Structures are given as structure tokens and as C-alpha cells.
Amino acid sequence: MNKEIVIATNNRGKQKEYLEMLNPIGYMVLTPRDLCVESNPEENGKNYRENSYIKALALSKLVHRPVIADDSGFEVEGLDGFPGLYSSRFADEYGGDYHKAGLALNEKLGDNPNRNAKFHCCICLLEKEDAKPLYFEGDFKGTLLPSWSGDHGFGYDPFFHSEELNLDMGLASDEIKNKVSHRGKALQKLLVYLAIK
Ligand code: IMP
């Protein structure tokens, strides 16, 4: 394994996903913690691309190796895509309690019958600090559930139903989720790029 890549997250779930996908094609996946650096730039971009680039650039400046950073969010169609970029911050308004945040989204939606929702993920690959960033994106479409279902996954998963899988995501294993999720799809695209590079 001779190629190194650093992922801009200390989230163990994400690390596992990246590791499982990138190890088989010869990449050694490192985290900021492995390199004893900390990078928490302000995510003040106007969209997922800008935020993923902000995170990738900040880390690249510290580690001088190729980096990947992702940014994702949960969008409810009947709320014009809210919370989207603010998914994490919206949950923070409820002390990071996603049970409360999901119920609050339902309350905002009220009688609106449009319960369509999706997760979106953008992965930015930055091979050098001054390189052109490359973006790999994926969507995971479904519907917002009126109440919490299951305890698998994280964030808004227990309020999300996938028609494609005919399954509430709070009841899905990581393995099933990764095959069809927004991050899984974006990661597949990144993998194809890295494998043929
Ligand atoms: P991040 O940019 O990947 O950290 O995602 C931002 C926020 O979007 C998270 O804190 C969650 O609130 C939400 N989110 C992103 N991906 C998922 C997912 O796969 N399941 C549930 N919530 C997610």
C-alpha cells in the first residue's frame, strides 16, 4: 500500500466507510488524529461544494498530502430543501437531539402532504493545496417519516424511509445503507476516479 490519503473527519463511522472502500484499491487512509493535527475551519460556504472545499483546503495546508473532505445534508422538499446545509446546526438547536430535531421538521411541515426528502453528499478531492478540486456527488431519495423508527444509523436516519429499499433507515444495517446512500454513491464515483488514475 503506497498511496496515502487523508480524510477530513474524525467521525469513526465515516472513517470505517472510507477505509473499507479505499484500502482494496491500495490507499492507506489516514485521519487528522493519526497525523496529530486538528482542523475545524468555519463552514461558511454557500453550498455543499464550497463547504467540502473549505474543509479539504484547510486540512491540505496542514498535512501536505492528498485529502478528501465531504459535506452532506438532509433536505425536505416540502420545506424548500430545509435544513440542507444547516442540518447539523438545526439539530444543535435541540442540543444535538435528533429525535427532537426530526419532530421539529414534522411540525414545520404541518399539513403539507409533500414528504419527499433526500440526503445529498459532496466529496471534494484535493490532491495538493493549489490543485484544482474535484467533486463527486450523490443523492439518496426517500420520504420524511412522521416519527422516529429504529435505532440504526445516525442523524436523521430514523426519520427517513427509502422507497428504493422499502425500508426505514433506522432499521437498516450499515452495509445496506452504504450501498445506496448519498455518501456511498459519491464514494463509488470517487473510487472509480482513483482506481483508473
Ligand atoms: P456532514 O457534512 O456529513 O457532517 O453532515 C451534516 C449533517 O447532515 C449531519 O450532522 C447530519 O445531521 C446530516 N446527515 C448527513 N449525512 C447523514 C446520514 O447519512 N444520515 C443522517 N443524517 C445525515
Side-chain angles (χ1 to χ4, degrees):
M1 225 179 279
N2 50 4
K3 293 176 275 186
E4 289 183 335
I5 200 155
V6 191
I7 52 171
T9 180
N10 280 315
N11 174 309
R12 289 195 190 283
K14 284 191 190 177
Q15 286 173 5
K16 189 165 164 264
E17 261 178 67
Y18 280 115
L19 210 98
E20 283 170 2
M21 303 278 266
L22 296 173
N23 271 353
I25 61 163
Y27 277 86
M28 179 159 157
V29 179
L30 299 168
T31 65
R33 200 172 286 136
D34 293 332
L35 297 167
C36 299
V37 295
E38 209 174 311
S39 174
N40 292 307
E42 198 186 339
E43 296 175 31
N44 53 5
K46 289 189 296 298
N47 50 48
Y48 298 104
R49 280 193 174 203
E50 286 187 11
N51 275 344
S52 65
Y53 179 63
I54 288 170
K55 290 187 238 184
L57 183 61
L59 184 60
S60 171
K61 285 180 178 171
L62 295 173
V63 300
H64 312 292
R65 292 172 171 89
V67 306
I68 43 183
D70 65 34
D71 196 56
S72 22
F74 182 53
E75 303 179 355
V76 180
E77 212 173 89
L79 297 176
D80 298 324
F82 186 82
L85 280 191
Y86 306 99
S87 296
S88 177
R89 283 165 268 184
F90 183 67
D92 286 345
E93 287 178 26
Y94 299 89
D97 181 335
Y98 279 89
H99 199 154
K100 288 188 182 148
L103 291 177
L105 287 181
N106 271 287
E107 207 165 299
K108 273 184 186 289
L109 195 60
D111 293 337
N112 189 329
N114 185 357
R115 308 194 66 86
N116 290 337
K118 72 172 184 195
F119 287 103
H120 182 79
C121 175
C122 174
I123 298 176
C124 173
L125 168 67
L126 193 61
E127 306 205 56
K128 280 194 211 132
E129 195 181 321
D130 57 356
K132 183 169 173 273
L134 297 174
Y135 299 101
F136 305 87
E137 300 187 63
D139 278 336
F140 184 22
K141 293 186 182 163
T143 45
L144 174 71
L145 289 168
S147 59
W148 181 273
S149 167
D151 277 314
H152 284 256
F154 70 98
Y156 297 94
D157 281 339
F159 277 95
F160 187 68
H161 177 81
S162 161
E163 272 74 29
E164 188 182 344
L165 296 173
N166 190 23
L167 191 62
D168 295 348
M169 291 318 290
L171 302 173
S173 66
D174 286 352
E175 204 187 347
I176 291 179
K177 181 184 168 190
N178 293 346
K179 286 206 176 101
V180 293
S181 77
H182 48 312
R183 202 166 11 264
K185 286 176 189 147
L187 200 43
Q188 282 293 346
K189 292 178 191 170
L190 169 71
L191 210 66
V192 169
Y193 173 80
L194 292 175
I196 60 173
K197 193 163 84 80

